[in-house]
């Protein structure tokens, strides 16, 4: 063996090198874990000020199933590069949404887009600010809180908002 390294060390290094492409593939296509930062999704996520919930993002299902109203998703910010947001889908294509804080301002969600909002309306930068979001920015569906252990559990969908008109 070169440099006096044992065959066990070489075998371990080879196994590690073989596992890297598998881990990258799982991260890109199946799912990943990330933290939800900030108060915009309180009380669903980060209920305690200053806390960050670590969440499981299911990337597989967003490739094979349409987004649904009430889903909590992770998406790339349309206004800040390299910023991952966690928001709730309020409306899907062809729905009509009354913008939060405006009595008579309605938006029709175009094809290939969704309307996202944080659960904490006082602390959320969302579609009310930047408009409907292209579905291509969606990373995946947030399915569970995995850390801290006291918060383990599924992230639940919420019923359709009264501000959304669903076409028949």
């Amino acid at each position: 063996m070169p440099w006096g390294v044992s065959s066990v060390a070489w075998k371990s290094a080879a196994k590690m090198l073989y596992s890297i492409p598998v881990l990258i593939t799982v991260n890109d296509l199946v799912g990943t874990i990330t933290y939800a930062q900030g108060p915009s999704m309180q009380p669903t996520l980060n209920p305690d000020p200053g806390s960050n919930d670590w969440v499981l993002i299911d990337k597989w299902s967003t490739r094979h199933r349409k987004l649904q109203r009430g889903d909590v998703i992770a998406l790339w910010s349309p206004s800040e590069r390299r910023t991952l947001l966690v928001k709730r889908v309020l409306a899907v294509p062809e729905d009509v949404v009354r913008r939060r804080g405006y009595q008579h301002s309605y938006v029709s969600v175009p094809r290939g887009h969704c309307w996202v909002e944080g659960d904490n309306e006082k602390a959320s930068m969302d579609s009310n600010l930047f408009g409907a979001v292209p579905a291509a920015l969606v990373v995946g569906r947030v399915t569970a809180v995995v850390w801290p252990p006291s918060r383990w559990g599924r992230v639940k969908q919420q019923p359709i908002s009264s501000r959304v008109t669903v076409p028949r």
Side-chain angles (χ1 to χ4, degrees):
M1 290 287 124
W3 305 295
V5 179
S6 73
S7 65
V8 173
W10 279 110
K11 287 179 183 178
S12 296
K15 285 180 184 178
M16 191 173 358
L17 285 175
Y18 286 129
S19 66
I20 290 172
V22 172
L23 293 173
I24 290 171
T25 301
V26 167
N27 184 56
D28 284 348
L29 300 176
V30 179
T32 191
I33 294 173
T34 191
Y35 65 95
Q37 189 174 8
S40 74
M41 284 300 294
Q42 288 176 340
T44 304
L45 299 173
N46 305 330
D48 302 319
S51 69
N52 287 326
D53 286 346
W54 285 81
V55 295
L56 177 64
I57 299 175
D58 172 12
K59 295 179 179 182
W60 184 262
S61 70
T62 52
R63 295 179 192 278
H64 303 290
R65 188 177 71 121
K66 290 183 179 179
L67 292 176
Q68 297 178 346
R69 294 169 204 91
D71 282 346
V72 176
I73 61 170
L75 68 149
W76 293 111
S77 171
S79 60
E80 295 179 39
R81 281 189 55 186
R82 297 184 179 196
T83 300
L84 189 67
L85 305 175
V86 175
K87 303 292 178 193
R88 189 175 300 277
V89 175
L90 194 72
V92 295
E94 300 181 11
D95 288 354
V96 176
V97 181
R98 188 181 79 240
R99 294 172 66 124
R100 192 169 13 206
Y102 299 93
Q103 280 298 92
H104 303 290
S105 179
Y106 293 88
V107 177
S108 178
V109 179
R111 278 189 153 175
H113 289 69
C114 60
W115 188 271
V116 297
E117 293 186 359
D119 289 354
N120 181 356
E121 66 182 73
K122 294 177 183 168
S124 182
M125 291 178 43
D126 52 33
S127 288
N128 288 288
L129 178 67
F130 45 70
V133 176
L137 295 179
V138 175
V139 173
R141 194 173 276 106
V142 176
T143 59
V145 175
V146 296
W147 194 264
S150 62
R151 302 240 328 111
W152 279 352
R154 295 193 61 77
V155 174
K156 295 183 178 93
Q157 281 190 321
Q158 285 189 347
I160 299 172
S161 169
S162 61
R163 295 183 12 248
V164 177
T165 304
V166 179
R168 296 193 187 264

